[in-house]
Amino acid sequence: MSDGTTLLVILGAALATFATRAGGHLVLSRFRSIHPRVEAGLNAVPAAVLTTIVAPAAFNGGVAELGALAVAALASLRFGMTTLFAAGAVTLIGLRALGL
Amino acid sequence: MNQEIRDGLRAAVPVIISAAPFGVLFGALAVDNGLSVFEAVTMSATVFAGASQMVGIELFGQSIAPWLIVFSVFAVNFRHVLYSAAIGRRMVSFTPLQKGLSFFLLTDPQFAIAEARYEAGHRLTFRWYATSGLALYVFWIAETWLGALFGRLLPDSHALGLDFLLTIYFLGLVMSFRKRALWLPVVLASSVASIIAFNVVGSPWHVSLGALAGILVAAAAPLEGVREDEANEGRADA
């Protein structure tokens, strides 16, 4: 692929990405009020989307990965983001160092 | 320093740490797939969406029609339509120009920390959003540049757990939403659907399909959590 084409593809990809990021709001803001079922669905978006990144990784993970997630989940009940992240990362590195 | 700016930086730190390996990895892989350092950095600065950038450079390495690469990036990023619709409702005090910049910066972690900010009882301000978003943006570009220059010198990334850090981070965010209505049914539905989709249809569709399952569960559930007057108001206009 020539240099000019590569840059054009990159800019095309940038425009396509921006369209997805602005598009959802532009479409939704056309409606004056939001139906409660749509509202309930939108409130579920963050947990639903983020779960789809975690669940398959956990399902396909080994002892070290599952151990790290379990420790992080437990830590999340008491502590904030930085602490639970550090606890999970240390568990992961430790278990992998043990060859698990 | 202004409180909103300080809070924005604080929210950005764990994201920057966990995303750093991916920025470096992207830069290294991009050059490995035939992009110049300038092209790799330009891609991070204009697309600013890690997973889709990985897909993009993977396709650059093969002889694939240019429009198909653009379409693949679009497909991988389609989930942002949902983020946009959800977070747009919190941007009531933003001007159109501020909204435009904010949507450009709307990555997965940016969406997550912005929703978490709102969930914690704060009003979403442009100052907070731009601070956290631009911090992620600047580091993402710098990491890409570093990776493109020094990619071959990376240490053993598996032993350092670099490949799994984002998963731990995202789990923490999922847990932060656990006080929301219908959290458990949504998480269960999305878990099962995403695992099935991941193993049957393949990545990246497990994200859209899995999320859809959780959203449908929330939308179809009885409207008990909603105040009666709100529900009536919604129905009258629907």
Side-chain angles (χ1 to χ4, degrees):
Chain A
M1 205 176 286
S2 74
D3 289 352
T5 315
T6 301
L7 276 179
L8 273 181
V9 170
I10 288 172
L11 293 182
L15 283 177
T17 302
F18 185 73
T20 65
R21 288 175 172 169
H25 174 67
L26 288 179
V27 171
L28 198 80
S29 63
R30 288 176 174 277
F31 299 94
R32 206 153 42 82
S33 77
I34 303 172
H35 190 278
R37 291 200 181 279
V38 176
E39 180 98 36
L42 287 177
N43 279 328
V45 170
V49 173
L50 296 168
T51 297
T52 66
I53 302 173
V54 177
F59 186 77
N60 296 313
V63 176
E65 289 78 13
L66 288 174
L69 290 180
V71 167
L74 274 179
S76 77
L77 301 176
R78 275 291 303 270
F79 305 103
M81 192 64 197
T82 310
T83 308
L84 80 86
F85 179 70
V90 167
T91 306
L92 179 71
I93 294 168
L95 290 176
R96 280 189 178 173
L98 294 174
L100 293 170
Chain B
M1 209 191 312
N2 181 286
Q3 183 70 35
E4 293 289 307
I5 294 177
R6 201 162 38 209
D7 286 357
L9 287 176
R10 190 173 299 155
V13 168
V15 181
I16 289 170
I17 293 171
S18 57
F22 297 94
V24 175
L25 184 66
F26 169 76
L29 290 177
V31 171
D32 203 46
N33 276 276
L35 267 68
S36 67
V37 175
F38 173 75
E39 286 164 345
V41 171
T42 301
M43 194 169 190
S44 280
T46 58
V47 180
F48 191 40
S52 73
Q53 289 179 226
M54 297 285 189
V55 172
I57 55 168
E58 188 67 30
L59 297 179
F60 271 128
Q62 309 159 23
S63 52
I64 283 178
W67 70 268
L68 204 58
I69 302 180
V70 174
F71 181 78
S72 301
V73 170
F74 181 75
V76 175
N77 286 329
F78 194 73
R79 66 188 185 283
H80 290 118
V81 169
L82 295 173
Y83 300 167
S84 170
I87 203 69
R89 299 174 304 157
R90 321 288 191 218
M91 296 181 177
V92 280
S93 65
F94 291 28
T95 67
L97 192 66
Q98 290 174 338
K99 277 186 187 170
L101 176 66
S102 298
F103 286 130
F104 175 74
L105 296 172
L106 187 58
T107 54
D108 302 68
Q110 181 68 22
F111 170 69
I113 60 175
E115 280 283 331
R117 172 88 176 158
Y118 180 84
E119 185 76 10
H122 296 277
R123 204 166 57 89
L124 189 65
T125 64
F126 178 69
R127 189 170 284 195
W128 180 93
Y129 189 103
T131 302
S132 51
L134 287 174
L136 302 191
Y137 183 67
V138 168
F139 273 91
W140 182 250
I141 292 171
E143 289 146 17
T144 302
W145 183 70
L146 274 179
L149 288 182
F150 303 113
R152 307 256 156 74
L153 306 175
L154 269 184
D156 184 351
S157 62
H158 181 79
L160 290 173
L162 299 190
D163 53 301
F164 205 69
L165 287 187
L166 267 186
T167 309
I168 296 172
Y169 177 76
F170 284 130
L171 173 78
L173 287 171
V174 170
M175 296 300 290
S176 74
F177 294 113
R178 68 184 183 279
K179 300 265 160 60
R180 280 197 184 182
L182 301 168
W183 179 80
L184 192 60
V186 167
V187 167
L188 286 178
S190 290
S191 294
V192 172
S194 65
I195 290 169
I196 293 172
F198 185 85
N199 291 297
V200 176
V201 192
S203 184
W205 296 104
H206 66 286
V207 176
S208 300
L209 294 174
L212 192 64
I215 292 163
L216 286 178
V217 163
L223 291 168
E224 282 171 61
V226 185
R227 288 209 328 271
E228 193 61 28
D229 53 345
E230 275 179 3
N232 289 335
E233 195 183 310
R235 279 194 201 99
D237 277 76

